[in-house]
Amino acid sequence: MKVSNNNFISHNGNKFVESLNEVSYLYGELVCRDMDKIGMRYSYRHILKPLMENKTLTQLELVNLTGQKAPTVSITLRNMENDGIVRREKNSTDRRETHVCITDKGKKMYKKVLNSLEKADKTILSGISEGELEALAGVLEKMKANLEGAVK
């Protein structure tokens, strides 16, 4: 597996930030490789979960839930429909409204995605104690809060 090339500005030699970046990259590579095997396009990730958690959603609800732009959701849904993962139907009383529901094929894909993520989680957490995970989670929460404050 290819290791990322983080030579673009090396975090001033901060080994923790470099390692964090590398772990994130490698975890993403592992997950993406498995997603490719099951036919899960990267763009489907935002839409699949809300559809599994709800019986049916409108395209507008998906836009609001995912935070994506309407044209992006529309294109993704078109691709998912072509792949047999979702079905879109016009509302019989309001033709402007399109309802989206997940197909049996989509439900099977979602189960495969969850299995793949569970496998990736076992890989990344292998050999790490509960205490180490708790300590790391605390540090990562503080880092996340620092970044959220800087981004806002």
Side-chain angles (χ1 to χ4, degrees):
M1 182 174 287
K2 178 184 127 188
V3 175
S4 69
N5 181 357
N6 292 326
N7 291 331
F8 61 93
I9 298 176
S10 71
H11 308 293
N12 296 324
N14 185 323
K15 294 294 181 192
F16 179 81
V17 174
E18 287 178 13
S19 293
L20 184 64
N21 191 27
E22 198 65 36
V23 166
S24 176
Y25 172 83
L26 291 170
Y27 182 81
E29 284 290 305
L30 179 64
V31 169
C32 284
R33 185 182 65 194
D34 279 358
M35 295 301 120
D36 286 345
K37 288 179 188 174
I38 61 175
M40 169 78 170
R41 291 188 196 188
Y42 188 73
S43 60
Y44 296 176
R45 71 194 189 286
H46 295 293
I47 292 178
L48 199 56
K49 185 178 180 192
L51 285 176
M52 281 298 295
E53 294 173 347
N54 299 277
K55 240 182 188 175
T56 183
L57 292 169
T58 65
Q59 282 190 215
L60 182 57
E61 288 171 326
L62 281 168
V63 167
N64 293 331
L65 284 170
T66 63
Q68 296 196 324
K69 294 185 183 314
T72 301
V73 169
S74 182
I75 291 166
T76 302
L77 287 173
R78 182 188 65 215
N79 291 334
M80 292 175 84
E81 191 172 35
N82 289 342
D83 288 346
I85 297 167
V86 300
R87 187 177 64 252
R88 292 191 286 183
E89 299 170 352
K90 290 284 185 189
N91 183 333
S92 58
T93 57
D94 184 352
R95 302 291 295 161
R96 296 172 296 173
E97 192 174 79
T98 301
H99 291 269
V100 182
C101 60
I102 195 159
T103 63
D104 288 339
K105 180 180 179 180
K107 291 175 186 174
K108 288 176 186 171
M109 176 180 276
Y110 187 72
K111 287 180 184 174
K112 289 178 183 177
V113 167
L114 292 179
N115 288 336
S116 176
L117 291 173
E118 186 177 326
K119 188 175 89 176
D121 288 354
K122 284 181 183 178
T123 299
I124 197 171
L125 301 175
S126 177
I128 302 172
S129 73
E130 284 297 318
E132 289 171 318
L133 288 174
E134 286 177 23
L136 180 58
V139 170
L140 291 173
E141 280 300 316
K142 288 179 183 178
M143 294 174 128
K144 179 181 163 190
N146 292 342
L147 290 171
E148 286 173 341
V151 171
K152 290 181 182 177

